[in-house]
Each structure stands twice: as C-alpha cells, then as structure tokens.
C-alpha cells in the first residue's frame, strides 16, 4: 500500500489540561471503536491525553520531591482506568504527556492498572530528554539566561521536544507512549508520522498534522467549551460537552468531529477560534516539529455522517509547513516568594463605600507591601496591580461587594501580615464586614530561553514489562 492509499488515521483527545473532566474518554473510545469496526481494513486509532501547562511540571517536580513515585498526572488513574482495557482490546494506542516530571513512575502505574483489570502488561515506552531540572544542566541554562539565573532556586526546567521519539516508539511496537514535556501538537504528529511513514522534513504534511493536533490539544474547546456565550454563540448540551476526534489523511489534511452522543458542537466558528488560539503569527506557528503556516487555511463544514448521532464535522485545508526551528524552547520555573490573599464581604446600603474604606485601612496598615485591590463585582478582572483603574472608577453604590486584597513578598513573615490585617477588619474596620477568607501560597515564577537542539538529546525507551511490575 502506498502513502496515498493509507486509510485515514483516527485520533481522539480525552483531556486538554491537568484537572480536565475524568469522564471524557469513555464516549471518545466508544466512537473510535465504532468507527474502527465500520471503517476500512488497516485503519488505526489513537487516544491522546494532553495534561500539561506551563507550570504543571513545576508542581509535579514538587510532588516528586516529597515522593519519588509521584510527579506524574494526579488524575492518571481516574482518566485512564475506565478505558484502558477496551483500548488495548481494540488496538487503540495511547499517547500522552501525563508522565509530567516522572514518566517512568506513570508507566509503572499503568502496568499495575492493566494487571488489576485482568489483562497482560501493555508495551509501554517512555520519552525522555525534556527534563533539564538537574544540577548538571545549570551551566547550560545560565549561559542561555545570563544574570537572570543568579540566585534562582530552580524547581523545574523543561524543553518542548517534538514528535520524532513518539513516532519511533510507536514504530518499535509501543501500545502506550508516556511523555513528559513534548509540545502539545506533537502528541498528534507522532502517531501520524508513524502511521503514514512521513519523513521528519516533510514540512507541509507535518504542518497540517500540527494544526490538527492544535485543534485537538485543548480538548472540549473545539467542541464548544470556552466558546459558549449565551444569545451570541449558543452551544447545546454544554453540561455534557463532547471531546474531539480528528480524521487525518495521508497528506495531513484533517476533519474534526466529536464523540457521538455528547453535547456541544463542532462548527466553522469553533474550529476557527481554536485554530487561532495561542497563535502569535498565523504564518509562522513555531513548534519543535515544523513552522506551521495557516495564512491561507480554509475551514469548511461538512454534512453529518449518515446515521451518526449529531456528530458535526469540519474540514481544515490549505495549511502549509516550513522548516522547523533549530532551537528548542525551554521553560525554567523557580521559587518566587509568597502570595498572600484576603477577602471580606460587605452588603447593604453603602456597601461599596465600606469596602473601599476597608481597602484604604489595609493600605495604611500594610506599609511595605504593594497591595492589589479588587472589588469583586465592580472591578477585578480589568484592574491593574497599581490600582490606577480602581482609583479612577467612581463609587457606583453597589450593595453586594467582595473585597479582595493580595500582595507578594520574598519573606513569608511579611506576607503573613496581610492575613492578620484582613482578619482584624471584623472589628477594626468598617461596619458589617463578614465572610473572611485568607490564603498564603508559595509562588512559582517562569523564565524562558532557547537552546540548540543538539544540546537536548531526546530518546525513547521501550520498557520491560517485568521491570515495571
């Protein structure tokens, strides 16, 4: 069978971030199985979970410090256990970055899970090389970041690596590929490279598969989540929103749909919004696999598949690809002091005036702390840390106001002052304050840099089932 005769590849996504819904995978797997049974011989299906964000890895590294067997996606068991046996039984392979800071521990957990479900241990590969958190990498990071690295207490450092080790692991027979920090679209590009046999410099095809992966990577967003706006952009059944499934052809073109029997919708509008999500330059979307170009992309709604249960389908075409960057992006997360927060409510006549007076009391009492003040219900999202927007907003006479104050400081003792002063407002502040809540949270700050590709050796390893037991 030549490249153009290869059946379309099915890839379903069951998570768009760490903390996403844990019941998403079931309908996706049901739909994949149904399409495999009704599709052409040789058709393959993959299930991906995208569970990392910019700071997720730092939090995972902190968990691993406390427990060497932790540091992977906390919801791994809840997300994967309900569908693992069916995926293995029907040949649906699984690719995810839920390994986070500890891919090998995640692989061990999946092996235990499979055996508890009564099956054999699956063939699991781990992709490594992204983790640059160790002391052996400090000099390289310091060279890239210069004086910004001086005195930092690094929590995590990770390169955004690409699809090649994923594809190689699948070519070696892996049923499940567990990654740490790979670029989100690479979770889709890797299976496509393996299935269709694409070269690593087949830029147009890689560019198209990258944008298919970009549509999948945020889970329900392309199916109406993070899209709905009542009366303007209505989405039916948002409480049971479906998760996306892509059909990718041998040239990288894709059709996006969703799991059957679910709410939400896939439309030209949802696809266009997700296509542009987090894209700085539509003609040059940089990933470790390719520079994707959607300047001439076209989005077209297709008729529903006959007999399907309201599965909307939208085709993406016209995507191009250019040679990939010669450097990897690296995020370095480091300890950033303490965030102190306090809230108190005021209600009834002149509530807003009392909340403003309480904020003024705190400013005068907390000398040395730069306070951010929000009046939740009046101005919070659009306010700036310096308070200029709030100061310019006239008192609107609101009768139900929640005052929030926050400050950061390198010294925990200084940050703790805020909580004490907010609590004291019960009797030392304006009339009628109530419902105080305070929190003190260690902060994580982020720096980014670029490193040459040859400075970040990536690899996969197909793990021995007995060693994982």
């Amino acid at each position: 069978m030549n490249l153009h005769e290869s059946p379309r590849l099915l890839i379903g996504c069951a998570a768009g971030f760490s903390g996403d819904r844990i019941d998403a995978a079931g309908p996706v797997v049901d739909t994949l199985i149904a399409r495999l049974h009704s599709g052409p011989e040789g058709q393959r299906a993959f299930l991906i979970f995208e569970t990392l964000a910019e700071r997720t890895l730092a939090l995972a590294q902190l968990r691993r410090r406390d427990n060497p067997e932790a540091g992977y996606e906390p919801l791994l068991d809840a997300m994967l256990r309900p569908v693992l046996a069916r995926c293995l039984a029907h040949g649906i392979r699984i690719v995810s970055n839920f390994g986070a800071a500890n891919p090998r521990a995640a692989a061990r957990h999946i092996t235990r899970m499979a055996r508890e479900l009564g099956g054999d241990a699956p063939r699991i590969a781990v992709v490594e090389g992204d983790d640059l958190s160790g002391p052996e990498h400090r000099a390289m990071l310091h060279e890239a970041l210069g004086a910004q690295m001086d005195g930092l207490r690094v929590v995590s450092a990770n390169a955004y690596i690409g699809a090649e080790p994923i594809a190689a692991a699948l070519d070696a027979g892996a049923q499940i590929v567990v990654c740490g920090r790979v670029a989100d679209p690479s979770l889709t590009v890797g299976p496509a490279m393996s299935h269709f046999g694409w070269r690593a410099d087949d830029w147009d095809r890689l560019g198209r598969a990258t944008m298919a992966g970009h549509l999948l990577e945020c889970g329900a967003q392309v199916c109406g989540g993070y899209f709905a706006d009542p009366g303007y952009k209505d989405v039916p059944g948002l409480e049971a929103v479906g998760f996306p499934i892509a059909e990718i052809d041998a040239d990288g073109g894709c059709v996006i749909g969703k799991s059957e029997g679910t709410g939400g919708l896939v439309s030209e509008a949802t696809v266009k919004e997700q296509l542009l999500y987090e894209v700085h330059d539509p003609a040059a979307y940089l990933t470790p696999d390719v520079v994707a170009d959607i300047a001439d992309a076209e989005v077209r709604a297709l008729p529903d598949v006959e007999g399907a249960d309201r599965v909307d389908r939208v085709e993406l075409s016209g995507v191009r690809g250019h040679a990939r960057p010669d450097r990897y992006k690296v995020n370095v997360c480091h300890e950033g002091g303490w965030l102190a927060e306090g809230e108190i409510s005021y209600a009834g006549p002149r509530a807003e005036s009392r909340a403003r007076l309480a904020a003024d009391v705190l400013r005068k009492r907390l000398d040395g702390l730069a306070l951010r003040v929000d009046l939740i219900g009046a101005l919070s999202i659009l306010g700036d840390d310096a308070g200029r927007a709030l100061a310019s907003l006239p008192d609107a006479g609101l009768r139900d106001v929640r005052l929030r104050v926050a400050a950061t400081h390198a010294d925990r003792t200084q940050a703790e002052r805020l909580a004490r002063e907010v609590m004291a407002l019960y009797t030392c502040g304006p009339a009628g304050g109530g419902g105080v809540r305070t929190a003190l949270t260690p902060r994580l700050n982020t720096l980014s840099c670029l490193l040459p590709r040859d400075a970040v050796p990536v690899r996969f390893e197909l793990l021995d089932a007995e060693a994982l037991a």
Side-chain angles (χ1 to χ4, degrees):
M1 181 181 295
N2 66 39
L3 184 67
H4 292 279
E5 293 174 340
S6 298
R8 287 190 169 199
L9 177 64
L10 302 175
I11 303 182
C13 179
F17 66 101
S18 179
D20 209 343
R21 289 184 177 170
I22 60 173
D23 59 352
V28 174
V29 171
D30 289 342
T31 304
L32 292 176
I33 291 172
R35 293 189 187 177
L36 284 174
H37 287 173
S38 62
E41 184 179 351
Q43 188 165 56
R44 293 180 183 172
F46 283 80
L47 179 66
I48 65 173
F49 295 83
E50 200 290 288
T51 62
L52 292 182
E54 281 68 22
R55 299 189 185 187
T56 318
L57 277 159
L59 299 174
Q61 287 286 6
L62 292 174
R63 290 193 297 271
R64 188 175 183 179
R65 285 182 187 179
D66 294 334
N67 176 5
E69 280 300 303
Y72 53 86
E73 167 55 45
L75 294 176
L76 168 62
D77 198 278
M79 287 179 168
L80 188 56
R81 184 180 290 268
V83 297
L84 177 58
R86 281 190 295 150
C87 285
L88 296 174
H90 291 275
I92 298 171
R93 295 201 273 183
I94 298 165
V95 178
S96 179
N97 55 17
F98 47 41
N102 203 345
R104 289 176 182 262
R108 288 191 288 272
H109 189 124
I110 295 169
T111 299
R112 290 193 299 271
M113 196 191 309
R115 286 176 168 156
E116 289 167 3
L117 291 168
D120 295 329
R123 296 185 300 279
I124 303 178
V126 296
V127 171
E128 296 175 313
D130 65 293
D131 191 346
L132 307 177
S133 305
E136 67 275 18
H137 302 295
R138 289 292 189 275
M140 179 172 62
L141 294 173
H142 198 286
E143 183 178 352
L145 288 165
Q148 296 180 91
M149 280 287 291
D150 292 346
L152 290 190
R153 296 171 62 88
V154 173
V155 175
S156 67
N158 293 84
Y160 284 65
I161 63 177
E164 283 186 88
I166 297 174
L170 295 169
D171 289 345
Q175 296 170 283
I176 300 173
V177 181
V178 179
C179 308
R181 177 72 278 179
V182 297
D184 299 347
S186 300
L187 299 173
T188 295
V189 177
M193 289 179 72
S194 175
H195 178 65
F196 295 115
W198 295 338
R199 302 185 318 273
D201 62 352
D202 198 340
W203 304 126
D204 282 341
R205 290 189 173 99
L206 294 176
R208 294 170 194 138
T210 289
M211 297 320 296
H214 181 67
L215 293 175
L216 291 175
E217 70 187 51
C218 291
Q221 281 191 198
V222 76
C223 301
Y226 202 68
F227 170 87
D229 191 349
Y232 179 60
K233 296 184 297 182
D234 291 314
V235 176
L238 189 59
E239 76 284 354
V241 64
F243 277 60
I245 296 172
E247 307 165 31
I248 301 176
D249 66 30
D251 283 322
C254 77
V255 173
I256 298 291
K258 67 180 182 67
S259 47
E260 295 182 25
T262 58
L265 80 162
V266 177
S267 68
E268 291 182 3
T270 68
V271 169
K272 288 176 182 177
E273 280 202 13
Q274 180 59 29
L275 194 65
L276 294 171
Y277 180 73
E278 293 182 338
V279 172
H280 175 258
D281 182 351
Y285 178 48
L286 275 63
T287 80
D289 301 309
V290 67
V291 175
D293 180 348
I294 59 171
D296 295 320
E298 296 183 7
V299 171
R300 181 173 67 96
L302 300 178
D304 283 350
V305 177
E306 185 177 354
D309 184 8
R310 203 186 182 285
V311 179
D312 304 322
R313 301 172 73 241
V314 174
E315 180 182 61
L316 172 65
S317 61
V319 176
R320 299 291 307 276
H322 310 292
R324 68 190 184 189
D326 59 4
R327 294 183 291 177
Y328 287 123
K329 175 186 174 181
V330 177
N331 274 355
V332 179
C333 285
H334 59 94
E335 295 180 9
W338 298 88
L339 169 66
E341 300 173 273
E343 296 181 9
I344 185 169
S345 292
Y346 294 91
R350 296 168 299 284
E352 184 178 346
S353 296
R354 285 180 279 133
R356 287 174 179 267
L357 175 57
D360 188 55
V361 168
L362 292 172
R363 285 194 189 96
K364 293 173 179 176
R365 295 282 299 175
L366 291 169
D367 182 49
L369 287 181
L371 291 188
R372 177 186 170 107
V373 176
D374 295 309
L375 295 181
I376 299 173
L379 186 69
S380 56
I381 301 299
L382 302 180
D384 65 342
D385 287 351
R388 289 185 291 267
L390 184 61
S392 66
L393 183 74
D395 190 326
L398 298 178
R399 296 170 58 89
D400 187 348
V401 179
R402 181 83 170 164
L403 170 67
R404 174 188 180 269
V405 294
T408 61
H409 203 282
D411 184 345
R412 177 172 181 154
T413 302
Q414 289 296 315
E416 287 173 338
R417 293 170 54 210
L418 182 143
R420 293 196 300 272
E421 290 294 339
V422 172
M423 187 67 69
L425 287 173
Y426 270 129
T427 58
C428 299
V436 168
R437 291 184 181 178
T438 63
L440 187 69
T441 309
R443 295 191 74 203
L444 292 170
N445 292 339
T446 303
L447 294 171
S448 296
C449 64
L450 299 172
L451 292 178
R453 297 179 76 96
D454 58 9
V456 185
V458 300
R459 60 196 174 276
F460 82 90
E461 183 177 345
L462 196 58
L463 301 180
D464 181 79
E466 295 306 316
L468 290 172

